[in-house]
Amino acid sequence: MNASYTNLSNLDLALAAALILVNGALSLALGLKLERRLAIAAVRTVVQLLLVGQVLAWVFRSRHWYVAVAMMTLMTVVAGLAASRRGQRAYRGMRTDGMASIWISSWLVTAFGLFVIIRIRPWYEPQYAIPILGMVLGNALTGVSLGLERMTEELTSHRSQVDLLLALGASRWEAARRPAVQAVRAGMIPTLNAMSIVGVVSLPGMMTGQVLAGQSPVEAVRYQIVVMFLIAAASALGTTLAVLATYRRLFSAEHRFRAERLGPRTERGTSG
Amino acid sequence: MLLRLLASLDAPSSGSLTWRGQAVTRRNILAYRRAVAYVAQRPAMFDGSVEDNLRIPYTLAIYRDARYDPAAVETLLEAAGRDARFLAKSADELSGGEAQITALIRVLQLRPAVLLLDEPTAALDPDSAATVEAMVNSWFEASPAAAFAWISHNPSQAQRVGNRTLHMEAGRVQERVQERVQEIKPT
């Protein structure tokens, strides 16, 4: 890409991997008993990333739209499944709600970024579509899982207040509004924090990558700005969708709070 | 459980709920819950003062025709043996008895047609229990169209506060009772 770019050899990687010995030595010296997990984590890092590199290289070369779309679908499903794994409480259908919120929000927002802002050609250009969807997914995942966790938690701990409002004659939305607002706020705050410190405290990975690859920082930050706004929109949209989906499942049209649907998480991830 | 069903907070597994000759449906259920006030054994309180809690109902759409009435609240406070300073108390500092009194004022100020009391004095000391009984009594005597249902585990209290006592023992009897009270009409 640029003359100043340095490729890394296997020896370079081995030198970097040797740094894990720092962690190992600390674990032994302090009795952390983390040696086994350190070794496994180190091997996973190397194997997973080398594999992903091969897969992405193949996807980028293939020039078929369905290969790119299949890859993006796989990424979305993995993120969607992870979205409902947080928290102590679960309800039947939570996994579906998490998946749908992640899918709709990140694909809509990524489509806007790719087709309206960056205007990639061909429309599935994997070099753009896959990394941008990946960044959007990661942040939508944080928002959705925080939102789901907070909503189920608020409804559990404030059940008597919800019931009180309903008993007084509140509509189901009036009764659920406080928990829902708390949940959407909880889901959006990480993005807001990231937006206010970006570039000052942290240099985002994408920008760093572009700069390392020889791109001028002035250009790299322009992409980063676009990505920050895509991330903000996707996590807000995803969090709101997830909280509304929870609300629809746990409140009936007769304005009843179906608390019996909300239970402690079972091993399968949803309550029976 | 029976009262939660009557307050239509829980859906009946069979049968239906009728109010003044009309089935309670999703269209009229909010008006029904306004007319039929339910008071739980341990009433929920929101952050803020007692007065903040008394104003909570007026934030709901169903009460948009009503206004918080300090004079009415003062009358109810008097019946409970409290004065206006009680309104400034923080809700999280209330004793069980004070919370129950607050919850009763919160619904009585709204002039419901029917009051559903779910063991309202079960967790209270005798003094507070007597106050709650007196408040319900004076509300009942002052409102000619009113009715109330009071769940109690205390037979002498049941004799004292009620005109008609229904005994409930496990499933079978409970079913019979539910049939009898499905249709509540103000007397």
Side-chain angles (χ1 to χ4, degrees), chain A residues 45-245:
Chain A
T45 302
V46 174
V47 173
Q48 285 173 7
L49 286 177
L50 287 179
L51 273 177
V52 164
Q54 294 299 321
V55 171
L56 285 181
W58 176 71
V59 171
F60 284 12
R61 264 198 320 269
S62 78
R63 314 313 306 164
H64 292 300
W65 65 269
Y66 50 83
V67 174
V69 171
M71 181 74 197
M72 291 162 76
T73 303
L74 179 69
M75 292 159 64
T76 310
V77 168
V78 172
L81 287 177
S84 53
R85 272 196 216 123
R86 257 182 105 101
Q88 306 291 315
R89 302 266 149 189
Y91 59 88
R92 193 182 282 271
M94 191 174 182
R95 197 179 299 173
T96 314
D97 291 348
M99 179 75 73
S101 313
I102 293 266
W103 204 305
I104 295 169
S105 62
S106 51
W107 282 49
L108 268 181
V109 170
T110 303
F112 181 78
L114 293 177
F115 305 149
V116 181
I117 301 173
I118 308 177
R119 289 188 294 276
I120 57 170
R121 261 183 243 307
W123 63 269
Y124 58 86
E125 179 55 83
Q127 184 198 338
Y128 287 89
I130 288 175
I132 288 186
L133 179 70
M135 285 184 284
V136 169
L137 278 174
N139 289 275
L141 169 60
T142 308
V144 167
S145 57
L146 282 174
L148 284 174
E149 180 188 26
R150 188 64 181 268
M151 182 71 168
T152 50
E153 208 176 76
E154 290 275 324
L155 287 175
T156 306
S157 59
H158 294 138
R159 180 184 170 182
S160 63
Q161 293 183 352
V162 172
D163 267 345
L164 167 72
L165 289 172
L166 289 174
L168 285 169
S171 70
R172 57 178 171 158
W173 176 245
E174 284 174 318
R177 202 179 55 87
R178 285 162 197 254
V181 165
Q182 291 300 319
V184 173
R185 282 181 60 94
M188 282 171 62
I189 279 175
T191 320
L192 282 179
N193 287 344
M195 285 178 84
S196 37
I197 60 158
V198 66
V200 183
V201 180
S202 70
L203 281 185
M206 185 194 75
M207 211 178 104
T208 313
Q210 279 183 295
V211 172
L212 284 178
Q215 179 71 264
S216 110
V218 180
E219 284 304 311
V221 295
R222 299 180 78 86
Y223 263 91
Q224 191 59 49
I225 289 170
V226 169
V227 166
M228 285 311 287
F229 282 108
L230 294 183
I231 283 171
S235 69
L237 187 62
T239 308
T240 309
L241 284 175
V243 169
L244 287 180

Side-chain angles (χ1 to χ4, degrees), chain A residues 161 166 168 174 255-256, chain B residues 4 8 26 33 45 61 63:
Chain A
Q161 293 183 352
L166 289 174
L168 285 169
E174 284 174 318
H255 305 283
R256 292 193 182 108
Chain B
R4 286 185 57 88
S8 86
R26 67 178 64 170
R33 288 194 189 132
M45 290 290 144
Y63 295 101

